[in-house]
Amino acid sequence: MKSLLYFLILSCLFSCTNKTNAVKTKLLFKEVNQINLARGTLFRADSISSKYITTRPVDVWLPSNYTTEKEYAVVYMHDGQMLFDSTTTWNKQEWKVDEVAGKLNNDKNIKNFIVVAVHNIAELRWQDLFPTKAITNNISAIDTSLAKDFKKDNFDINKLTGDQYLKFLVTELKPIIDTSFSVKKDAKNTFVMGSSMGGLMSMYAISEYPNVFGGAACLSTHWVGFKPMENNVLPSLIFKYAASNIPDSKTHKLYFDYGTETLDAYYLKHVTTVDSIYLNKGYTSKNYRNLKFKGENHSENSWQKRISIPLTFLLKNN
């Protein structure tokens, strides 16, 4: 009898603690009114405590018809401050995620979903979004002079935080999202998406955590790893990592694309290599894309024109 009473007390305490934690996490997010949205509602946590990375704002976009009576898929996106309102971005461009996601949430053939937008910190962006193990597993391939050249341009290979950034997403942020919003928690309903360095990080995220992310959309993926230059060793290291860490083609989706102008022009020569890595490991047109957008450049204005394509690809009901 005493054992039963003790168990009930512990159960009550555990339940009360969980409820308290849920309330605390919900209070982290406050509705943002200064962002101009075409559709949906935006909530922001200005600072989520992390033991892995420098704290930064995280936005959560909810569709207009959001209700706790059903559960939603989740798309995690990098460079969160560039997604919703061009009047607040450094280059006066945006992805128009709210417009596109709002329309797709009304499509019966698409899973209902929310967007979690992690802001970047400009001076840390390269360190946070580079696939760390591509370098740390092959550090001897980078000579001292090359490392110095990187460092001059704010890319210190000795201070890469890509692994820590992913630990923040997976072990700190995702549990908060899972308890603060009505979402599905499994990998087949959890996706990651970004452009340029964010494209690299999305590839890295699904490779490192295939049990967490069921699909990745990588727009204008920055395969060059750094600024375009001759004798660049980084692409080969990135491809070596990708080829050794391919998520199971039976359970995952991968989307890549590229334009043909400005920085995107440097990605053209890598298309065949990317295709060979994944198509030789069981990926087909059902779960793999690597699309060319002729005349498009490396900018939010270009990405906004086509984001419905990767979102539809990832979120289409099977």
Short mmCIF file of all heavy atoms in Angstrom, two decimals, residues 138-194:
data_model
loop_
_atom_site.label_atom_id
_atom_site.label_comp_id
_atom_site.label_asym_id
_atom_site.label_seq_id
_atom_site.Cartn_x
_atom_site.Cartn_y
_atom_site.Cartn_z
N ASN A 138 38.72 15.35 -42.33
CA ASN A 138 39.73 15.39 -43.39
C ASN A 138 40.62 16.63 -43.24
O ASN A 138 40.97 17.27 -44.22
CB ASN A 138 39.06 15.42 -44.77
CG ASN A 138 38.17 14.23 -45.02
OD1 ASN A 138 38.63 13.16 -45.41
ND2 ASN A 138 36.87 14.39 -44.80
N ILE A 139 40.96 16.96 -42.01
CA ILE A 139 41.66 18.21 -41.73
C ILE A 139 43.02 18.27 -42.44
O ILE A 139 43.50 19.36 -42.80
CB ILE A 139 41.84 18.39 -40.20
CG1 ILE A 139 42.27 19.83 -39.89
CG2 ILE A 139 42.79 17.37 -39.64
CD1 ILE A 139 41.22 20.86 -40.16
N SER A 140 43.63 17.15 -42.69
CA SER A 140 44.95 17.14 -43.34
C SER A 140 44.89 17.61 -44.78
O SER A 140 45.92 17.96 -45.37
CB SER A 140 45.56 15.73 -43.28
OG SER A 140 44.73 14.81 -43.97
N ALA A 141 43.69 17.63 -45.37
CA ALA A 141 43.54 18.05 -46.76
C ALA A 141 43.61 19.56 -46.91
O ALA A 141 43.71 20.08 -48.03
CB ALA A 141 42.21 17.53 -47.32
N ILE A 142 43.55 20.28 -45.80
CA ILE A 142 43.57 21.75 -45.84
C ILE A 142 44.90 22.24 -45.30
O ILE A 142 45.21 22.08 -44.12
CB ILE A 142 42.40 22.33 -45.02
CG1 ILE A 142 41.07 21.83 -45.58
CG2 ILE A 142 42.45 23.85 -45.03
CD1 ILE A 142 39.87 22.26 -44.79
N ASP A 143 45.70 22.84 -46.18
CA ASP A 143 47.01 23.30 -45.72
C ASP A 143 46.89 24.60 -44.93
O ASP A 143 45.86 25.27 -44.93
CB ASP A 143 47.99 23.45 -46.89
CG ASP A 143 47.53 24.48 -47.93
OD1 ASP A 143 47.00 25.53 -47.53
OD2 ASP A 143 47.70 24.21 -49.12
N THR A 144 47.97 24.96 -44.27
CA THR A 144 47.98 26.11 -43.36
C THR A 144 47.66 27.41 -44.07
O THR A 144 46.90 28.24 -43.55
CB THR A 144 49.35 26.23 -42.67
OG1 THR A 144 49.64 25.00 -41.99
CG2 THR A 144 49.33 27.36 -41.65
N SER A 145 48.20 27.61 -45.25
CA SER A 145 47.97 28.87 -45.98
C SER A 145 46.51 29.02 -46.37
O SER A 145 45.95 30.11 -46.32
CB SER A 145 48.85 28.92 -47.23
OG SER A 145 48.54 27.86 -48.12
N LEU A 146 45.88 27.89 -46.74
CA LEU A 146 44.46 27.94 -47.11
C LEU A 146 43.61 28.26 -45.89
O LEU A 146 42.67 29.05 -45.96
CB LEU A 146 44.03 26.60 -47.72
CG LEU A 146 42.63 26.55 -48.35
CD1 LEU A 146 42.51 27.56 -49.47
CD2 LEU A 146 42.35 25.14 -48.87
N ALA A 147 43.95 27.68 -44.77
CA ALA A 147 43.23 27.96 -43.52
C ALA A 147 43.34 29.43 -43.15
O ALA A 147 42.38 30.04 -42.67
CB ALA A 147 43.76 27.09 -42.40
N LYS A 148 44.49 30.03 -43.39
CA LYS A 148 44.68 31.46 -43.11
C LYS A 148 43.83 32.32 -44.04
O LYS A 148 43.26 33.33 -43.62
CB LYS A 148 46.15 31.83 -43.25
CG LYS A 148 47.03 31.30 -42.12
CD LYS A 148 48.49 31.72 -42.31
CE LYS A 148 49.36 31.21 -41.17
NZ LYS A 148 50.79 31.59 -41.37
N ASP A 149 43.74 31.90 -45.31
CA ASP A 149 42.90 32.63 -46.26
C ASP A 149 41.44 32.59 -45.81
O ASP A 149 40.72 33.59 -45.89
CB ASP A 149 43.02 32.02 -47.66
CG ASP A 149 44.35 32.38 -48.31
OD1 ASP A 149 44.99 33.34 -47.85
OD2 ASP A 149 44.74 31.70 -49.27
N PHE A 150 40.98 31.43 -45.36
CA PHE A 150 39.61 31.30 -44.85
C PHE A 150 39.38 32.26 -43.69
O PHE A 150 38.38 32.97 -43.64
CB PHE A 150 39.35 29.86 -44.37
CG PHE A 150 39.30 28.83 -45.47
CD1 PHE A 150 39.46 27.49 -45.17
CD2 PHE A 150 39.10 29.20 -46.79
CE1 PHE A 150 39.41 26.52 -46.16
CE2 PHE A 150 39.05 28.24 -47.80
CZ PHE A 150 39.21 26.90 -47.48
N LYS A 151 40.33 32.26 -42.77
CA LYS A 151 40.17 33.05 -41.54
C LYS A 151 40.09 34.54 -41.84
O LYS A 151 39.38 35.29 -41.15
CB LYS A 151 41.33 32.76 -40.59
CG LYS A 151 41.10 33.24 -39.16
CD LYS A 151 42.18 32.72 -38.24
CE LYS A 151 41.91 33.13 -36.80
NZ LYS A 151 42.96 32.60 -35.87
N LYS A 152 40.80 35.00 -42.86
CA LYS A 152 40.75 36.41 -43.23
C LYS A 152 39.34 36.83 -43.64
O LYS A 152 38.96 37.99 -43.50
CB LYS A 152 41.72 36.67 -44.39
CG LYS A 152 43.18 36.62 -44.01
CD LYS A 152 44.07 36.85 -45.22
CE LYS A 152 45.55 36.72 -44.86
NZ LYS A 152 46.41 36.88 -46.05
N ASP A 153 38.57 35.86 -44.15
CA ASP A 153 37.20 36.15 -44.59
C ASP A 153 36.16 35.64 -43.59
O ASP A 153 35.06 35.25 -43.96
CB ASP A 153 36.94 35.52 -45.96
CG ASP A 153 37.63 36.29 -47.08
OD1 ASP A 153 37.25 37.46 -47.30
OD2 ASP A 153 38.54 35.73 -47.70
N ASN A 154 36.55 35.62 -42.30
CA ASN A 154 35.63 35.26 -41.22
C ASN A 154 35.14 33.82 -41.30
O ASN A 154 34.00 33.53 -41.00
CB ASN A 154 34.43 36.24 -41.20
CG ASN A 154 33.69 36.20 -39.87
OD1 ASN A 154 34.28 35.98 -38.83
ND2 ASN A 154 32.38 36.40 -39.91
N PHE A 155 36.01 32.93 -41.77
CA PHE A 155 35.67 31.51 -41.82
C PHE A 155 36.82 30.74 -41.17
O PHE A 155 37.75 30.32 -41.83
CB PHE A 155 35.44 31.07 -43.27
CG PHE A 155 35.12 29.60 -43.43
CD1 PHE A 155 34.27 28.95 -42.56
CD2 PHE A 155 35.68 28.88 -44.48
CE1 PHE A 155 33.97 27.62 -42.72
CE2 PHE A 155 35.39 27.54 -44.65
CZ PHE A 155 34.54 26.91 -43.77
N ASP A 156 36.74 30.58 -39.87
CA ASP A 156 37.79 29.94 -39.10
C ASP A 156 37.48 28.46 -38.96
O ASP A 156 36.53 28.07 -38.26
CB ASP A 156 37.91 30.59 -37.72
CG ASP A 156 39.14 30.13 -36.95
OD1 ASP A 156 39.71 29.08 -37.31
OD2 ASP A 156 39.53 30.82 -36.00
N ILE A 157 38.25 27.60 -39.63
CA ILE A 157 37.95 26.17 -39.62
C ILE A 157 38.21 25.53 -38.26
O ILE A 157 37.82 24.38 -38.03
CB ILE A 157 38.74 25.42 -40.71
CG1 ILE A 157 40.24 25.49 -40.45
CG2 ILE A 157 38.39 25.95 -42.09
CD1 ILE A 157 41.06 24.59 -41.36
N ASN A 158 38.87 26.25 -37.38
CA ASN A 158 39.10 25.74 -36.02
C ASN A 158 37.96 26.11 -35.06
O ASN A 158 38.00 25.75 -33.89
CB ASN A 158 40.43 26.27 -35.49
CG ASN A 158 41.61 25.75 -36.27
OD1 ASN A 158 41.72 24.54 -36.51
ND2 ASN A 158 42.50 26.63 -36.69
N LYS A 159 36.99 26.85 -35.58
CA LYS A 159 35.88 27.28 -34.73
C LYS A 159 34.53 26.95 -35.35
O LYS A 159 33.55 27.68 -35.17
CB LYS A 159 35.99 28.78 -34.44
CG LYS A 159 37.21 29.17 -33.63
CD LYS A 159 37.25 30.67 -33.35
CE LYS A 159 38.46 31.06 -32.53
NZ LYS A 159 38.50 32.53 -32.28
N LEU A 160 34.46 25.86 -36.09
CA LEU A 160 33.20 25.46 -36.73
C LEU A 160 32.19 25.01 -35.68
O LEU A 160 32.53 24.27 -34.75
CB LEU A 160 33.45 24.34 -37.73
CG LEU A 160 34.37 24.68 -38.90
CD1 LEU A 160 34.59 23.45 -39.78
CD2 LEU A 160 33.81 25.83 -39.72
N THR A 161 30.95 25.45 -35.84
CA THR A 161 29.92 25.13 -34.84
C THR A 161 28.70 24.45 -35.47
O THR A 161 27.61 24.46 -34.91
CB THR A 161 29.46 26.42 -34.12
OG1 THR A 161 29.16 27.43 -35.10
CG2 THR A 161 30.54 26.93 -33.19
N GLY A 162 28.89 23.85 -36.65
CA GLY A 162 27.77 23.17 -37.30
C GLY A 162 27.18 22.04 -36.48
O GLY A 162 25.96 21.86 -36.42
N ASP A 163 28.04 21.27 -35.82
CA ASP A 163 27.54 20.17 -34.98
C ASP A 163 26.76 20.70 -33.78
O ASP A 163 25.73 20.14 -33.40
CB ASP A 163 28.70 19.30 -34.51
CG ASP A 163 29.28 18.44 -35.62
OD1 ASP A 163 28.58 18.22 -36.64
OD2 ASP A 163 30.43 17.98 -35.48
N GLN A 164 27.26 21.79 -33.20
CA GLN A 164 26.56 22.39 -32.06
C GLN A 164 25.22 23.00 -32.51
O GLN A 164 24.23 22.93 -31.77
CB GLN A 164 27.44 23.46 -31.41
CG GLN A 164 28.65 22.91 -30.69
CD GLN A 164 29.89 22.86 -31.57
OE1 GLN A 164 29.80 22.56 -32.76
NE2 GLN A 164 31.04 23.14 -30.98
N TYR A 165 25.22 23.61 -33.68
CA TYR A 165 23.98 24.17 -34.23
C TYR A 165 22.92 23.08 -34.38
O TYR A 165 21.75 23.27 -34.02
CB TYR A 165 24.28 24.82 -35.58
CG TYR A 165 23.09 25.43 -36.29
CD1 TYR A 165 22.65 26.71 -35.98
CD2 TYR A 165 22.41 24.73 -37.29
CE1 TYR A 165 21.56 27.28 -36.64
CE2 TYR A 165 21.33 25.28 -37.95
CZ TYR A 165 20.91 26.56 -37.63
OH TYR A 165 19.84 27.12 -38.27
N LEU A 166 23.33 21.92 -34.87
CA LEU A 166 22.37 20.82 -35.02
C LEU A 166 21.92 20.27 -33.67
O LEU A 166 20.75 19.89 -33.51
CB LEU A 166 23.00 19.69 -35.85
CG LEU A 166 23.05 19.93 -37.36
CD1 LEU A 166 23.67 18.72 -38.06
CD2 LEU A 166 21.67 20.21 -37.92
N LYS A 167 22.82 20.23 -32.71
CA LYS A 167 22.42 19.79 -31.37
C LYS A 167 21.38 20.75 -30.79
O LYS A 167 20.44 20.32 -30.10
CB LYS A 167 23.64 19.70 -30.45
CG LYS A 167 24.52 18.50 -30.72
CD LYS A 167 25.71 18.46 -29.77
CE LYS A 167 26.59 17.26 -30.05
NZ LYS A 167 27.78 17.21 -29.15
N PHE A 168 21.55 22.04 -31.06
CA PHE A 168 20.55 23.01 -30.63
C PHE A 168 19.20 22.71 -31.29
O PHE A 168 18.17 22.65 -30.60
CB PHE A 168 21.00 24.43 -30.99
CG PHE A 168 19.90 25.46 -30.93
CD1 PHE A 168 19.38 25.86 -29.71
CD2 PHE A 168 19.36 26.00 -32.09
CE1 PHE A 168 18.35 26.80 -29.64
CE2 PHE A 168 18.34 26.93 -32.04
CZ PHE A 168 17.83 27.34 -30.82
N LEU A 169 19.20 22.50 -32.60
CA LEU A 169 17.95 22.22 -33.30
C LEU A 169 17.26 20.96 -32.76
O LEU A 169 16.06 20.97 -32.48
CB LEU A 169 18.20 22.02 -34.81
CG LEU A 169 18.49 23.23 -35.69
CD1 LEU A 169 18.54 22.79 -37.15
CD2 LEU A 169 17.48 24.33 -35.50
N VAL A 170 18.04 19.92 -32.62
CA VAL A 170 17.47 18.59 -32.33
C VAL A 170 17.19 18.37 -30.85
O VAL A 170 16.13 17.84 -30.49
CB VAL A 170 18.42 17.50 -32.86
CG1 VAL A 170 17.98 16.11 -32.39
CG2 VAL A 170 18.48 17.55 -34.38
N THR A 171 18.12 18.78 -29.98
CA THR A 171 17.98 18.44 -28.56
C THR A 171 17.42 19.57 -27.71
O THR A 171 16.96 19.31 -26.59
CB THR A 171 19.33 18.00 -27.96
OG1 THR A 171 20.22 19.13 -27.91
CG2 THR A 171 19.96 16.89 -28.79
N GLU A 172 17.45 20.80 -28.21
CA GLU A 172 16.95 21.92 -27.42
C GLU A 172 15.71 22.56 -28.04
O GLU A 172 14.69 22.73 -27.37
CB GLU A 172 18.05 22.98 -27.24
CG GLU A 172 19.23 22.48 -26.43
CD GLU A 172 20.35 23.50 -26.26
OE1 GLU A 172 20.53 24.34 -27.17
OE2 GLU A 172 21.05 23.46 -25.23
N LEU A 173 15.78 22.90 -29.32
CA LEU A 173 14.65 23.59 -29.95
C LEU A 173 13.49 22.66 -30.25
O LEU A 173 12.33 22.98 -29.94
CB LEU A 173 15.11 24.28 -31.23
CG LEU A 173 14.02 25.04 -32.01
CD1 LEU A 173 13.37 26.11 -31.14
CD2 LEU A 173 14.61 25.65 -33.28
N LYS A 174 13.75 21.52 -30.85
CA LYS A 174 12.66 20.62 -31.23
C LYS A 174 11.78 20.20 -30.04
O LYS A 174 10.55 20.21 -30.15
CB LYS A 174 13.18 19.38 -31.96
CG LYS A 174 12.06 18.49 -32.53
CD LYS A 174 12.64 17.31 -33.30
CE LYS A 174 11.52 16.52 -33.97
NZ LYS A 174 10.57 15.90 -33.00
N PRO A 175 12.37 19.84 -28.89
CA PRO A 175 11.50 19.51 -27.74
C PRO A 175 10.62 20.67 -27.32
O PRO A 175 9.48 20.46 -26.88
CB PRO A 175 12.51 19.16 -26.63
CG PRO A 175 13.71 18.67 -27.37
CD PRO A 175 13.79 19.54 -28.60
N ILE A 176 11.10 21.90 -27.46
CA ILE A 176 10.28 23.07 -27.13
C ILE A 176 9.13 23.21 -28.11
O ILE A 176 7.98 23.45 -27.72
CB ILE A 176 11.14 24.35 -27.10
CG1 ILE A 176 12.09 24.31 -25.90
CG2 ILE A 176 10.27 25.59 -27.05
CD1 ILE A 176 13.08 25.46 -25.87
N ILE A 177 9.43 23.06 -29.39
CA ILE A 177 8.37 23.14 -30.42
C ILE A 177 7.36 22.02 -30.20
O ILE A 177 6.14 22.24 -30.29
CB ILE A 177 8.99 23.03 -31.83
CG1 ILE A 177 9.96 24.19 -32.10
CG2 ILE A 177 7.89 22.99 -32.89
CD1 ILE A 177 9.33 25.56 -32.00
N ASP A 178 7.84 20.83 -29.89
CA ASP A 178 6.96 19.67 -29.71
C ASP A 178 5.99 19.85 -28.55
O ASP A 178 4.89 19.30 -28.57
CB ASP A 178 7.79 18.40 -29.49
CG ASP A 178 8.49 17.93 -30.76
OD1 ASP A 178 8.18 18.46 -31.85
OD2 ASP A 178 9.36 17.04 -30.66
N THR A 179 6.40 20.60 -27.54
CA THR A 179 5.53 20.80 -26.37
C THR A 179 4.75 22.11 -26.43
O THR A 179 3.78 22.28 -25.69
CB THR A 179 6.35 20.76 -25.07
OG1 THR A 179 7.39 21.72 -25.12
CG2 THR A 179 6.95 19.38 -24.85
N SER A 180 5.17 23.04 -27.28
CA SER A 180 4.53 24.35 -27.34
C SER A 180 3.44 24.43 -28.41
O SER A 180 2.55 25.27 -28.33
CB SER A 180 5.56 25.45 -27.61
OG SER A 180 6.52 25.49 -26.59
N PHE A 181 3.53 23.56 -29.42
CA PHE A 181 2.60 23.61 -30.53
C PHE A 181 2.07 22.21 -30.83
O PHE A 181 2.66 21.21 -30.45
CB PHE A 181 3.29 24.20 -31.77
CG PHE A 181 3.81 25.60 -31.53
CD1 PHE A 181 5.13 25.81 -31.13
CD2 PHE A 181 2.99 26.71 -31.68
CE1 PHE A 181 5.61 27.09 -30.88
CE2 PHE A 181 3.45 27.99 -31.43
CZ PHE A 181 4.77 28.18 -31.04
N SER A 182 0.96 22.17 -31.52
CA SER A 182 0.31 20.90 -31.83
C SER A 182 0.92 20.33 -33.11
O SER A 182 0.46 20.60 -34.22
CB SER A 182 -1.20 21.12 -32.00
OG SER A 182 -1.86 19.89 -32.22
N VAL A 183 1.97 19.54 -32.93
CA VAL A 183 2.73 19.05 -34.08
C VAL A 183 2.98 17.55 -33.99
O VAL A 183 2.96 16.95 -32.92
CB VAL A 183 4.09 19.78 -34.20
CG1 VAL A 183 3.88 21.26 -34.44
CG2 VAL A 183 4.96 19.54 -32.96
N LYS A 184 3.24 16.98 -35.15
CA LYS A 184 3.66 15.58 -35.22
C LYS A 184 5.17 15.55 -34.98
O LYS A 184 5.90 16.38 -35.50
CB LYS A 184 3.30 15.00 -36.58
CG LYS A 184 1.80 14.94 -36.82
CD LYS A 184 1.47 14.40 -38.20
CE LYS A 184 -0.04 14.35 -38.40
NZ LYS A 184 -0.42 13.86 -39.75
N LYS A 185 5.62 14.58 -34.23
CA LYS A 185 6.99 14.58 -33.76
C LYS A 185 7.91 13.62 -34.52
O LYS A 185 9.12 13.66 -34.35
CB LYS A 185 7.03 14.24 -32.27
CG LYS A 185 6.17 15.18 -31.40
CD LYS A 185 6.08 14.70 -29.98
CE LYS A 185 5.23 15.62 -29.11
NZ LYS A 185 3.83 15.72 -29.58
N ASP A 186 7.35 12.76 -35.36
CA ASP A 186 8.15 11.74 -36.02
C ASP A 186 8.90 12.29 -37.23
O ASP A 186 8.60 13.37 -37.75
CB ASP A 186 7.26 10.57 -36.44
CG ASP A 186 6.13 11.02 -37.37
OD1 ASP A 186 5.64 12.15 -37.23
OD2 ASP A 186 5.76 10.24 -38.27
N ALA A 187 9.88 11.54 -37.71
CA ALA A 187 10.74 11.99 -38.80
C ALA A 187 9.99 12.20 -40.10
O ALA A 187 10.31 13.11 -40.87
CB ALA A 187 11.88 10.99 -39.01
N LYS A 188 8.98 11.38 -40.37
CA LYS A 188 8.28 11.51 -41.65
C LYS A 188 7.43 12.78 -41.72
O LYS A 188 6.90 13.11 -42.77
CB LYS A 188 7.42 10.28 -41.93
CG LYS A 188 6.26 10.07 -41.00
CD LYS A 188 5.50 8.79 -41.40
CE LYS A 188 4.30 8.55 -40.49
NZ LYS A 188 3.56 7.32 -40.88
N ASN A 189 7.35 13.51 -40.61
CA ASN A 189 6.63 14.77 -40.58
C ASN A 189 7.51 15.93 -40.11
O ASN A 189 7.01 17.00 -39.75
CB ASN A 189 5.40 14.66 -39.68
CG ASN A 189 4.32 13.80 -40.29
OD1 ASN A 189 3.67 14.18 -41.25
ND2 ASN A 189 4.14 12.60 -39.74
N THR A 190 8.82 15.73 -40.14
CA THR A 190 9.77 16.75 -39.71
C THR A 190 10.79 16.98 -40.82
O THR A 190 11.45 16.04 -41.27
CB THR A 190 10.50 16.31 -38.43
OG1 THR A 190 9.54 15.98 -37.42
CG2 THR A 190 11.39 17.44 -37.90
N PHE A 191 10.91 18.23 -41.26
CA PHE A 191 11.73 18.55 -42.42
C PHE A 191 12.65 19.72 -42.12
O PHE A 191 12.42 20.49 -41.20
CB PHE A 191 10.83 18.88 -43.62
CG PHE A 191 9.80 17.83 -43.89
CD1 PHE A 191 8.50 17.94 -43.37
CD2 PHE A 191 10.11 16.70 -44.64
CE1 PHE A 191 7.56 16.96 -43.60
CE2 PHE A 191 9.17 15.72 -44.87
CZ PHE A 191 7.89 15.84 -44.36
N VAL A 192 13.69 19.86 -42.95
CA VAL A 192 14.65 20.95 -42.78
C VAL A 192 14.91 21.56 -44.15
O VAL A 192 14.98 20.85 -45.16
CB VAL A 192 15.95 20.44 -42.10
CG1 VAL A 192 16.62 19.36 -42.93
CG2 VAL A 192 16.89 21.59 -41.81
N MET A 193 15.08 22.90 -44.18
CA MET A 193 15.13 23.60 -45.46
C MET A 193 15.97 24.86 -45.35
O MET A 193 15.94 25.56 -44.33
CB MET A 193 13.70 23.95 -45.89
CG MET A 193 13.56 24.65 -47.22
SD MET A 193 11.79 24.84 -47.61
CE MET A 193 11.89 25.68 -49.18
N GLY A 194 16.74 25.14 -46.40
CA GLY A 194 17.53 26.36 -46.42
C GLY A 194 18.16 26.59 -47.78
O GLY A 194 18.06 25.74 -48.68
#
